[in-house]
Amino acid sequence: MMIDLRSDTVTKPTAKMIKAMAEARVGDDVFGEDPTVNNLEEKVADLFGFDAGLFVPSGTMSNQLSINVLTAPGDEVLIEKTGHIFNYESAGAAHLSSVQLHPVRGHQGKLLPHLLEDKVRGTNDWDPNTTVIALENSTNKGGGCCYSEDELKAIKSFATEHQLKVHLDGARIWNAMTATDTEAAFFGSIADTMSVCFSKGLGAPVGSMMLSSEANIKQARRMRKMWGGGMRQVGLLAAAADYAIEEHWPLMKEDHRRARELATLIRQCHGLEIDLESVETNILIFDVLNESADSAIKRLHQEGVQLVPFGPNTLRATFHFQVTDEDLERVVEAFKKCFG
């Protein structure tokens, strides 16, 4: 059987999750009448310290709704150059909200105030108006690295000083909280809008949530409908997300442990290179020195392990709760065979 480390989005609903979905009380969410999704929106908003939440089909929609409510056409959003919104959302900010993204080189996918000092614009007629800083926690292309509370406080202070809003892409915020022991409510003091995902490490089949003020969520709800994201008996999916929070979030420590064990082996393999200091959560990004990423992936595939290319000579491995210790042993043997 193939061991799939391509992403933490490849998990399948468990029998208990399917049971929770089948037993969910549902209604028409466009009318605001689905009790399960209403309860989940309230629960997650309270957890993270926000006024309100909006369940949406994807993290991309949640991010784009957040940008839309925080900006006006012609504005500019500062983002780390490897950020998901810049790299993987099909130029959505330009198409949907008529704003431009200004990519800034950070460190391990993270932005810090000193990197933004000369990036805020709007003084001159020919400038775009910089209005938002977009952060990602944990960072995907940054190798799963996390912001510390002090780093986020510094970003928030910088944003306040320059009259900017903060959006936090928390696609893997559950992993970040697990790795840093940060309380969820802390993020409500940092961000004006936030996206949290249920279909990555948590293992729900579908769904993310936008968190913000009541006014912003009301505006976003209308935009969600305009963009085709209005759903009906969505409590079936909300029940899966709620189950995942309660049952799968505690498992992330084991995902991180297994990722660290593989990273330690990779460090010892000939022809592979990894920065062990960057391994904080469930994502490993490492380089192949003597062949292409595609060639290395094909060889691992023959040994029953699936990874994804993250550059010409770069690979990504991502752990999730359906990768067991027995699977990890097979992965270790595959790496030893392929890379010695």
Side-chain angles (χ1 to χ4, degrees), residues 100-131:
Q100 71 178 21
L101 303 180
H102 183 167
V104 178
R105 182 181 296 276
H107 177 62
Q108 295 177 329
K110 299 191 295 183
L111 291 175
L112 297 172
H114 73 274
L115 302 173
L116 303 174
E117 286 290 350
D118 61 344
K119 303 298 188 301
V120 179
R121 300 191 285 179
T123 302
N124 303 302
D125 290 341
W126 52 86
D127 287 337
N129 288 318
T130 306
T131 54

Side-chain angles (χ1 to χ4, degrees), residues 4-19:
D4 196 341
L5 299 180
R6 291 175 298 167
S7 177
D8 45 9
T9 61
V10 301
T11 56
K12 305 295 192 299
T14 64
K16 290 182 178 180
M17 180 181 285
I18 292 171
K19 183 175 185 290

Side-chain angles (χ1 to χ4, degrees), residues 90-292:
S90 304
H95 181 71
L96 297 169
S97 300
S98 297
V99 300
Q100 71 178 21
L101 303 180
H102 183 167
V104 178
R105 182 181 296 276
H107 177 62
Q108 295 177 329
K110 299 191 295 183
L111 291 175
L112 297 172
H114 73 274
L115 302 173
L116 303 174
E117 286 290 350
D118 61 344
K119 303 298 188 301
V120 179
R121 300 191 285 179
T123 302
N124 303 302
D125 290 341
W126 52 86
D127 287 337
N129 288 318
T130 306
T131 54
V132 177
I133 301 172
L135 308 175
E136 184 179 355
N137 194 27
S138 67
T139 62
N140 179 15
K141 288 177 75 69
C145 292
C146 308
Y147 282 92
S148 69
E149 291 188 27
D150 286 343
E151 288 171 335
L152 289 171
K153 287 177 181 177
I155 287 282
K156 178 62 174 178
S157 179
F158 177 89
T160 300
E161 179 185 352
H162 292 84
Q163 298 181 315
L164 306 177
K165 302 295 186 181
V166 176
H167 170 62
L168 180 57
D169 176 0
R172 293 183 174 88
I173 195 66
W174 313 96
N175 293 94
M177 289 189 291
T178 298
T180 61
D181 289 324
T182 301
E183 293 294 328
F186 169 76
F187 298 102
S189 70
I190 297 300
D192 297 278
T193 57
M194 183 174 178
S195 173
V196 299
C197 183
F198 308 116
S199 64
K200 292 188 171 66
L202 287 180
V206 178
S208 289
M209 190 175 292
M210 174 188 170
L211 303 172
S212 193
S213 65
E214 292 278 3
N216 282 342
I217 292 299
K218 182 179 180 180
Q219 181 180 345
R221 188 176 181 90
R222 182 176 187 276
M223 295 306 299
R224 183 188 70 170
K225 181 64 175 173
M226 184 185 298
W227 292 350
M231 297 172 284
R232 302 298 178 177
Q233 287 70 38
V234 74
L236 295 172
L237 299 178
D242 196 22
Y243 178 89
I245 294 170
E246 296 301 322
E247 301 297 329
H248 296 168
W249 185 11
L251 305 178
M252 286 185 174
K253 289 183 179 180
E254 293 301 295
D255 300 339
H256 298 179
R257 173 184 61 81
R258 294 183 184 106
R260 185 76 184 184
E261 289 185 20
L262 180 57
T264 301
L265 172 74
I266 289 172
R267 180 69 177 271
Q268 300 168 0
C269 287
H270 301 296
L272 300 181
E273 187 173 76
I274 189 169
D275 176 11
L276 284 180
E277 294 302 315
S278 71
V279 182
E280 299 181 35
T281 56
N282 63 322
I283 295 175
L284 305 180
I285 293 181
F286 58 98
D287 291 331
V288 183
L289 303 181
N290 301 316
E291 61 182 311
S292 69

